[in-house]
């Protein structure tokens, strides 16, 4: 195959989406395919602006692709991100012979709907989505319905895409995001200090408000427990977020330079908290499980399909009360914490790049074969895709 990849995320392995995109491209190349990757720095309009990023990416990608005549000579074009909706529409209208694949790094339509549903629940960090962002849902849906196939990063996402009828079942594939080889096969040492961990950007969608409420309650009730925050950024000031009486037990690492440093951090944490409102996958959960953390997560992304009490503690909802109850289950029962840590560790051992890339290759070849056989597709943006 000769594959063109257009990404809405920078092609940087240090970032979640970039890590996935770069490694799939590398894996397909190792299997003998030609892969050319283009990131947003090549086409984003006015990148210094903060507002309307989704629109600037959509228009910029379409203009860039048209000017460069990018699609000539490629068998398959894979898009990461629903910002490809305009480019996909132009290609379909022009009846391009390229096979078009949306390799989602998170269904933006689901993200917008989740934010709207929880818009009154959390104002601690960040803000709910604006009305004009919700208006984008119908346009973004084009990126999922006007293509020849849809790749998703979790069964959680697959169920939503099926419900929304984005593609027929045989035109969708869910592949859980693989882990770096260094994270797999680790020996476990579960004799760790009692600590809660959070890894990620300090933003509204990650459930930071309920995390602050829950962690504050737990730190006051359990004097030997600490809260370890990593990746929250250099502007984060714990004194503006947490009360004075617990501040000295909140330890902040704004950023870690390498996966090796991150791995060592996970190995020092006993309980990892993931209270997000929405995750497409949530690579932090899988990484933490590989390193022996007992994960407490809200029912979204990869965590939504973990076995509660065996592979993770999955909360019944998205509130601080559910998070407190889940953490206290583990703090009160060391045997349960160790069992969950071991079960989570075992669950992620199958997340390797070799198998994931072969599965992706097989799906792409099948989509290519269907396109070559003259299968026609509707261009109905409601998701009613016909053959």
């Amino acid at each position: 195959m000769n594959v063109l990849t257009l990404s809405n995320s920078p092609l940087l392995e240090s970032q979640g989406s970039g890590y996935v995109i770069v490694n799939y491209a590398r894996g397909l190349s190792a299997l003998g395919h030609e892969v050319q990757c283009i990131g947003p720095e090549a086409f984003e309009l006015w990148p210094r602006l903060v507002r309307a990023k989704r629109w600037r990416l959509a228009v910029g990608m379409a203009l860039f692709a048209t000017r460069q005549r990018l699609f000539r000579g490629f068998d398959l074009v894979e898009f990461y991100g629903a910002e490809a909706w305009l480019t996909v529409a132009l290609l379909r209208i022009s009846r391009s012979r390229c096979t078009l694949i949306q390799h989602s790094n998170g269904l933006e339509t689901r993200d917008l709907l989740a934010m709207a549903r929880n818009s009154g629940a959390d104002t601690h960090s960040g803000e709910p989505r604006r009305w004009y962002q919700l208006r984008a849902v119908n346009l973004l849906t084009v990126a999922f319905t006007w293509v020849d196939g849809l790749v998703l990063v979790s069964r959680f996402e697959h169920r939503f895409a099926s419900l929304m009828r984005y593609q027929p079942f045989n035109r969708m594939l869910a592949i859980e995001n693989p882990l770096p080889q260094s994270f797999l096969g680790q020996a476990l040492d579960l004799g760790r200090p009692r600590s809660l961990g959070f890894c990620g950007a300090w933003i509204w969608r990650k459930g930071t408000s309920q995390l602050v409420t829950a962690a504050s309650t737990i730190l006051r009730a359990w004097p030997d427990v600490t809260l370890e925050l990593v990746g929250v950024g250099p502007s984060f000031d714990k004194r503006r977020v947490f009360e004075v009486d617990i501040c000295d037990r909140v330890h902040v690492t704004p950023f870690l330079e390498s996966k090796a440093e991150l791995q060592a951090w996970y190995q020092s944490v006993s309980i990892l908290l993931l209270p997000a409102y929405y995750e497409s996958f949530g690579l932090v959960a899988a990484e933490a499980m590989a390193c022996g953390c007992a994960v407490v997560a809200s029912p979204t992304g990869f965590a939504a399909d973990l076995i509660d009490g065996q592979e993770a503690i999955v909360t019944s909802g998205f509130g601080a009360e559910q998070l407190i109850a889940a953490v206290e289950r583990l703090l009160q029962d060391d045997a349960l914490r160790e069992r969950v840590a071991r079960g989570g560790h075992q669950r992620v051992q199958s997340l390797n790049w070799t198998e994931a890339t072969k599965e992706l290759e097989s799906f792409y070849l099948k989509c290519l074969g269907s396109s070559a056989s003259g299968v026609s597709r509707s261009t109905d943006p409601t998701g009613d895709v016909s053959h």
Side-chain angles (χ1 to χ4, degrees):
M1 289 184 294
N2 197 350
V3 179
L4 171 65
T5 297
L6 285 170
S7 169
N8 66 343
S9 299
L11 304 174
L12 301 172
E13 284 195 77
S14 60
Q15 299 182 12
S17 293
Y19 157 79
V20 172
I21 296 164
V22 168
N23 278 282
Y24 271 125
R26 187 177 293 150
L28 289 172
S29 296
L31 292 173
H33 305 289
E34 297 286 336
V35 183
Q36 178 181 342
C37 295
I38 298 176
E41 66 281 354
F43 55 78
E44 182 181 356
L45 298 177
W46 311 300
R48 293 181 181 274
L49 294 181
V50 176
R51 299 286 184 182
K53 182 179 181 66
R54 188 161 283 159
W55 298 100
R56 290 186 285 107
L57 284 171
V59 176
M61 181 188 294
L63 291 174
F64 179 79
T66 302
R67 286 198 303 264
Q68 300 292 323
R69 298 185 178 182
L70 278 182
F71 307 108
R72 294 188 176 184
F74 289 99
D75 303 309
L76 183 144
V77 179
E78 107 185 309
F79 299 98
Y80 283 88
E83 291 85 357
W85 67 268
L86 181 55
T87 308
V88 167
L90 291 173
L91 285 171
R92 276 295 168 222
I93 292 169
S94 66
R95 301 188 179 275
S96 167
R97 295 182 182 179
C98 291
T99 295
L100 306 180
I101 301 290
Q102 172 65 220
H103 193 152
S104 173
N105 47 16
L107 291 170
E108 290 85 351
T109 49
R110 182 166 199 156
D111 182 22
L112 288 170
L113 293 171
M115 295 304 98
R117 184 173 62 248
N118 295 292
S119 62
D122 185 347
T123 57
H124 179 77
S125 178
E127 297 177 348
R129 302 288 178 165
R130 299 284 195 258
W131 66 268
Y132 57 80
Q133 292 175 303
L134 296 178
R135 297 287 187 186
V137 169
N138 289 338
L139 291 176
L140 296 175
T141 299
V142 169
F144 309 131
T145 58
W146 289 26
V147 291
D148 300 295
L150 177 59
V151 180
L152 304 148
V153 294
S154 64
R155 285 177 276 175
F156 172 79
E157 294 276 86
H158 191 283
R159 288 193 294 273
F160 180 80
S162 297
L163 179 66
M164 299 301 290
R165 300 176 68 194
Y166 285 160
Q167 290 285 324
F169 187 82
N170 67 335
R171 291 298 188 103
M172 293 192 295
L173 173 68
I175 311 178
E176 294 173 341
N177 284 336
L179 293 173
Q181 188 59 41
S182 62
F183 276 74
L184 301 176
Q186 296 181 57
L188 294 184
D189 178 5
L190 302 179
R192 309 175 184 190
R194 291 152 73 86
S195 58
L196 311 179
F198 173 83
C199 176
W202 196 258
I203 57 176
W204 184 77
R205 182 169 61 83
K206 297 292 184 180
T208 50
S209 181
Q210 57 262 41
L211 186 146
V212 170
T213 301
S216 298
T217 299
I218 292 164
L219 291 181
R220 291 189 176 105
W222 302 80
D224 62 329
V225 174
T226 63
L227 175 62
E228 313 293 330
L229 304 177
V230 72
V232 293
S235 63
F236 182 86
D237 184 353
K238 67 179 182 179
R239 294 167 297 182
R240 298 180 63 183
V241 177
F242 295 95
E243 299 293 335
V244 173
D245 62 316
I246 59 172
C247 228
D248 63 337
R249 287 190 286 137
V250 178
H251 305 143
V252 179
T253 304
F255 181 73
L256 290 175
E257 294 290 341
S258 68
K259 283 289 187 182
E261 290 178 313
L262 181 59
Q263 187 172 338
W265 182 85
Y266 284 130
Q267 291 168 342
S268 71
V269 171
S270 54
I271 300 171
L272 193 90
L273 308 181
L274 292 163
Y277 284 125
Y278 168 75
E279 294 281 2
S280 55
F281 180 75
L283 193 61
V284 167
E287 290 177 339
M289 291 160 69
C291 296
C293 298
V295 167
V296 174
S298 53
T300 182
F302 176 58
D305 289 288
L306 297 176
I307 302 173
D308 180 45
Q310 296 183 36
E311 298 169 341
I313 302 297
V314 183
T315 62
S316 58
F318 299 88
E321 297 81 5
Q322 292 97 325
L323 188 59
I324 293 168
V327 171
E328 289 189 332
R329 284 178 65 186
L330 297 176
L331 291 175
Q332 293 166 355
D333 190 341
D334 283 338
L336 173 62
R337 179 182 62 80
E338 292 190 10
R339 183 166 68 250
V340 167
R342 294 186 189 281
H345 176 265
Q346 183 61 37
R347 169 66 174 81
V348 300
Q349 295 308 305
S350 61
L351 302 181
N352 68 84
W353 279 107
T354 300
E355 296 304 317
T357 305
K358 288 180 179 177
E359 193 172 1
L360 184 70
E361 177 195 43
S362 178
F363 180 72
Y364 282 1
L365 290 172
K366 182 179 76 172
C367 290
L368 275 172
S370 297
S371 297
S373 67
V375 172
S376 62
R377 301 176 55 74
S378 75
T379 53
D380 178 2
T382 64
D384 187 9
V385 183
S386 58
H387 290 275

